[in-house]
């Protein structure tokens, strides 16, 4: 007699509406806070999130995505942003570009008009031409919910795609959801799936050739980018076992704590970094885009032997030629490299010492150029616990000492707009502070960048997270002003009216402090962090004084055809 086994019947789970479904999906991946702007086209979603999780009502859709982005980076998980359709979704597009450039795991759920009228061209309120096409252009993936039966599957697939995983990159995924389908009860059929066996992982192609070159090196360096964010332990073991010096991109900071003596840091494009590269006989680059601003617009000279590891096969040799390359997750390659170099004789003490001297020299040189502004970096590092988020907008303090001299000990503490867009720092900092409420978050912003989303000061005042907002006030766009000064041309578009920040903070019920000299930095920053809540700290740069060497970004600018008028 043959025994017949019947597959277990699938479970059916019902939800009151789309909002309850969204909450259930978010809870499964550990999301407890969602950022957004309420609208007639996302009411069920916002109401459910407010009831079951925490909804943070930011004042602009771009900030919703920035906050979700900051939340994801600081927690190492998924961030979620809710926006309206049409203009609301369009407002989110710029911030989605930032999340895309940094491969941040963000679920962006936007409303859509009633499905019966979608695409009818009759001017239904909030509808825009080809919203999905717009979202596809600025997201890792974008999808529309076409029917009630497909909503649960689409949401779960979007979360999975956004989170990525071993061997595949994550990023922002946008879901547009017609409002009529949001209001309806949701029904999810959950199939019982047998556990799959663990796949057998074979050595990635090219690993033997790359390893052979590594074993021949006597003066090795590593250049690590954002692709090592989840491979900090493996990278640390390789650095210590091999004795290689570690340069990083801005995105790679903290994978190995920056107080490690073999970590040179984000100084590859500096003269001292260039000298060290010239002395090295091999560079292993891992998970980096080699961005233009970190390679002197690609003029940086690498060692004669360059080998590369990157998740994206197209990245191998794309910027600088390579002698060998491996397309794989860093976590799957670094242990094998560590095992290989463990079997060989140790890198000489002389090279280790040279790396440590380079580490000290590049920082000493930067301190000379910063003058009293280096005191701000030191005072802030001293005021903060070892684990705390530094979220940075694009401004002089960030681009000079915030991106280099201020030590970072974990990638999740290093939050900044990798795409270089101004005005995103406060939103990202708000998200980070909500994700890690028991640790302080510091936001560095210039007066110009803060003005882009000044309304988020209202969010800060309303939600009251442990966030220190450092506003560097120089009355305009200081970086561009320095570039115009260096070129000898008249100022154009760089001088801005700024508010009375003390009065502004008072109007919002926010504590206010001011730093006017280097001597005040330590006391004021200690006091600000100790508040354990929101505080606006103005750094008055007119009073504080300029850097000995005015900061200008490492970009090529042609000589002007006209000079400043006399």
């Amino acid at each position: 007699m043959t025994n017949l086994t019947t597959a277990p019947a699938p479970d059916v789970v019902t939800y009151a509406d789309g909002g309850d479904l969204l909450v259930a999906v978010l809870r499964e991946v550990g999301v407890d806070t969602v950022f957004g702007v309420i609208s007639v086209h996302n009411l069920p979603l916002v109401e459910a999130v407010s009831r079951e999780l925490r909804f943070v009502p930011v004042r602009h859709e771009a900030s919703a995505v920035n906050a979700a982005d900051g939340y994801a980076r600081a927690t190492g998980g998924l961030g979620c942003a809710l926006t309206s359709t049409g203009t609301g979704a369009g407002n989110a597009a710029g911030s989605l570009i930032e999340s895309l450039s940094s491969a941040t795991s963000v679920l962006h759920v936007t409303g859509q008009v009633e499905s019966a009228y979608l695409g009818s061209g009759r001017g239904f309120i909030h509808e825009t031409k080809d919203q999905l096409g717009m979202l596809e252009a600025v997201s890792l993936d974008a999808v529309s919910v076409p029917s009630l039966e497909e909503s649960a599957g689409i949401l779960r697939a979007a979360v999975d795609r956004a989170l990525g995983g071993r061997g595949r990159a994550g990023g922002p995924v946008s879901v547009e959801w017609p409002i009529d389908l949001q209001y309806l009860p949701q029904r999810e059929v959950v199939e019982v799936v047998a556990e799959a066996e663990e796949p057998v992982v074979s050595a990635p192609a090219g690993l033997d050739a790359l390893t052979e070159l590594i074993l021949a090196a006597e003066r090795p360096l590593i250049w690590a980018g954002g692709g090592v964010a989840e491979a900090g332990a493996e990278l640390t073991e390789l650095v210590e076992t091999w004795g290689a010096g570690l340069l990083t991109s801005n995105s790679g900071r903290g994978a190995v704590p920056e107080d490690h003596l073999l970590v040179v840091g984000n100084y590859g494009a500096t003269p001292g970094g260039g000298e060290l590269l010239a002395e090295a006989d091999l560079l292993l680059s891992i998970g980096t885009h080699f961005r233009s601003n970190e390679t002197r617009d690609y003029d940086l000279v690498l060692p004669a032997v360059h080998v590369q590891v990157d998740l994206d096969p197209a990245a191998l040799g794309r910027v600088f030629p390579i002698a060998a390359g491996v397309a794989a997750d860093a976590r799957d390659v670094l242990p094998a490299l560590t095992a290989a170099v463990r079997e060989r004789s140790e890198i000489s003490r002389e090279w280790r010492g040279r790396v440590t001297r380079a580490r000290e020299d590049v920082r000493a040189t930067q301190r000379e150029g910063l003058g009293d502004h280096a005191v701000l970096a030191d005072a802030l590092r001293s005021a903060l616990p070892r684990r705390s988020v530094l979220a940075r907008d694009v401004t002089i303090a960030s681009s000079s000492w915030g991106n280099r001299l201020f030590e970072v000990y974990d990638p999740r503490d290093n939050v900044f707009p990798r795409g270089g867009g101004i005005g995103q720092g406060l939103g990202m900092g708000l998200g980070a502070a909500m994700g890690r409420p028991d640790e302080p978050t510091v936001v560095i912003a210039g007066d110009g960048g803060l003005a882009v989303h000044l309304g988020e000061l209202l969010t800060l005042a309303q939600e009251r997270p442990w966030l220190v907002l450092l506003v560097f006030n120089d009355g305009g766009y200081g970086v561009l002003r320095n570039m115009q000064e260096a070129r000898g041309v008249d100022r154009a578009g760089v001088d801005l009216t700024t508010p009375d920040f003390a009065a502004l903070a008072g109007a919002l019920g926010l504590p206010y402090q001011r730093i006017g000299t280097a001597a005040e930095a330590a006391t004021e920053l200690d006091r600000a962090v100790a508040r354990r809540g929101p505080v606006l700290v103005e750094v008055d740069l007119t009073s504080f004084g300029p850097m000995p060497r005015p900061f200008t970004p490492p970009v090529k600018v042609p000589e002007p055809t006209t000079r400043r008028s006399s």
Side-chain angles (χ1 to χ4, degrees):
M1 180 176 181
T2 304
N3 291 323
L4 298 178
T5 57
T6 304
D11 292 330
V12 177
V13 183
T14 59
Y15 305 93
D17 59 21
D20 280 356
L21 169 61
L22 177 63
V23 166
V25 170
L26 293 177
R27 274 181 168 160
E28 289 173 7
V29 291
V31 175
D32 59 14
T33 304
V34 175
F35 308 87
V37 177
I38 193 168
S39 159
V40 297
H41 285 132
N42 64 19
L43 269 174
L45 309 182
V46 172
E47 289 167 356
V49 168
S50 296
R51 183 176 62 250
E52 303 292 339
L53 305 174
R54 181 181 187 180
F55 179 71
V56 177
V58 296
R59 273 48 177 187
H60 194 279
E61 291 86 357
S63 295
V65 175
N66 286 146
D69 187 320
Y71 178 96
R73 296 193 206 190
T75 63
L78 177 78
C80 181
L82 304 181
T83 70
S84 182
T85 189
T87 304
N91 285 345
S95 296
L96 286 167
I97 292 173
E98 166 55 33
S99 299
L100 184 62
S101 71
S102 60
T104 306
S105 299
V106 171
L107 176 66
H108 167 227
V109 183
T110 183
Q112 186 51 283
V113 304
E114 293 179 32
S115 50
Y117 303 112
L118 183 58
S120 64
R122 65 179 66 189
F124 200 94
I125 185 170
H126 291 187
E127 186 179 14
T128 187
K129 178 184 177 183
D130 193 16
Q131 175 175 287
L132 189 62
M134 174 190 71
L135 294 173
E136 287 173 341
V138 295
S139 305
L140 181 66
D141 197 4
V143 62
S144 183
V145 177
S147 68
L148 186 64
E149 293 75 20
E150 296 174 81
S151 54
I154 284 173
L155 274 182
R156 293 188 187 282
V159 168
D160 182 68
R161 184 78 172 93
L163 286 170
R166 198 125 183 167
R168 59 190 179 97
V173 175
S174 294
V175 176
E176 62 170 16
W177 201 343
I179 183 60
D180 56 316
L181 300 183
Q182 293 179 39
Y183 274 113
L184 292 175
Q186 310 288 310
R187 183 174 179 271
E188 180 180 15
V189 178
V190 182
E191 300 283 351
V192 178
V193 180
E195 290 188 13
E197 294 183 5
E198 287 290 328
V200 177
V201 180
S202 58
L207 182 58
D208 289 344
L210 186 144
T211 302
E212 184 178 347
L213 291 170
I214 280 177
L215 291 176
E218 296 182 355
R219 299 180 303 282
L221 289 175
I222 299 172
W223 185 307
V228 300
E230 301 296 325
E234 294 88 345
L235 180 60
T236 301
E237 187 177 12
L238 176 61
V239 166
E240 293 178 344
T241 303
W242 193 14
L246 179 64
L247 294 163
T248 72
S249 70
N250 206 357
S251 301
R253 299 181 65 202
V256 179
E258 290 190 323
D259 53 356
H260 195 292
L261 293 181
L262 290 176
V263 176
V264 181
N266 184 24
Y267 287 91
T270 67
E275 292 171 6
L276 188 65
L277 283 164
E279 295 176 37
D281 60 0
L282 176 138
L283 178 69
L284 166 63
S285 63
I286 311 169
T288 181
H289 287 153
F290 284 119
R291 294 182 183 276
S292 60
N293 61 320
E294 296 173 335
T295 58
R296 304 177 192 164
D297 277 354
Y298 313 116
D299 282 347
L300 199 64
V301 178
L302 301 192
V305 180
H306 171 214
V307 296
Q308 189 172 9
V309 175
D310 201 284
L311 187 60
D312 180 7
L316 300 179
R318 179 169 54 197
V319 178
F320 294 105
I322 58 173
V326 173
D329 191 304
R331 290 170 291 181
D332 295 329
V333 175
L334 296 182
L337 297 182
T338 300
V341 298
R342 187 176 282 120
E343 300 301 319
R344 58 154 289 169
S345 59
E346 185 177 304
I347 293 297
S348 69
R349 290 176 179 266
E350 287 79 11
W351 180 245
R352 288 176 180 256
R354 174 67 184 98
V355 169
T356 299
R357 287 196 306 276
R359 164 192 168 81
E360 296 167 352
D361 290 347
V362 292
R363 286 162 173 77
T365 299
Q366 188 182 20
R367 287 180 179 280
E368 291 176 8
L370 290 170
D372 282 347
H373 289 252
V375 174
L376 291 164
D378 296 338
L380 183 59
R381 183 67 272 177
S382 177
L384 292 171
R386 186 172 179 87
R387 287 302 311 278
S388 48
V389 174
L390 182 67
R392 310 184 292 286
D393 207 315
V394 178
T395 191
I396 289 176
S398 300
S399 298
S400 55
W401 57 263
N403 289 350
R404 292 175 182 81
L405 189 63
F406 179 92
E407 286 187 347
V408 174
Y409 309 124
D410 190 286
R412 290 167 293 183
D413 303 342
N414 180 35
V415 175
F416 69 99
R418 298 180 191 181
I422 195 170
Q424 303 180 88
L426 179 54
M428 298 176 86
L430 282 166
M434 302 294 180
R436 289 171 44 187
D438 297 327
E439 298 164 358
T441 291
V442 174
V443 173
I444 294 178
D447 56 285
L450 182 64
V452 175
H453 289 298
L454 197 63
E456 299 314 329
L457 286 176
L458 295 166
T459 308
L460 178 63
Q462 178 171 321
E463 300 297 322
R464 309 199 75 78
W466 190 0
L467 187 150
V468 178
L469 173 57
L470 278 179
V471 182
F472 287 76
N473 183 8
D474 62 358
Y477 299 130
V479 172
L480 297 167
R481 183 187 292 150
N482 287 346
M483 291 180 68
Q484 290 178 347
E485 290 285 338
R487 295 168 61 224
V489 301
D490 292 331
R491 289 185 183 179
V494 296
D495 296 321
L496 304 173
T497 295
T498 57
D500 179 332
F501 283 106
L504 179 60
L508 297 172
L510 290 171
Y512 168 84
Q513 295 173 214
R514 176 183 175 275
I515 297 174
T517 66
E520 297 170 351
T523 299
E524 293 300 326
L525 289 172
D526 283 343
R527 187 160 69 97
V529 173
R531 290 181 183 273
R532 301 184 69 89
V535 55
L536 192 158
V537 181
E538 178 184 5
V539 182
D540 186 341
L541 292 174
T542 301
S543 172
F544 197 96
M547 297 177 181
R549 292 197 289 269
F551 175 83
T552 55
V555 296
K556 297 173 183 175
V557 180
E559 286 296 317
T561 55
T562 58
R563 291 284 174 179
R564 178 184 291 123
S565 57
S566 57

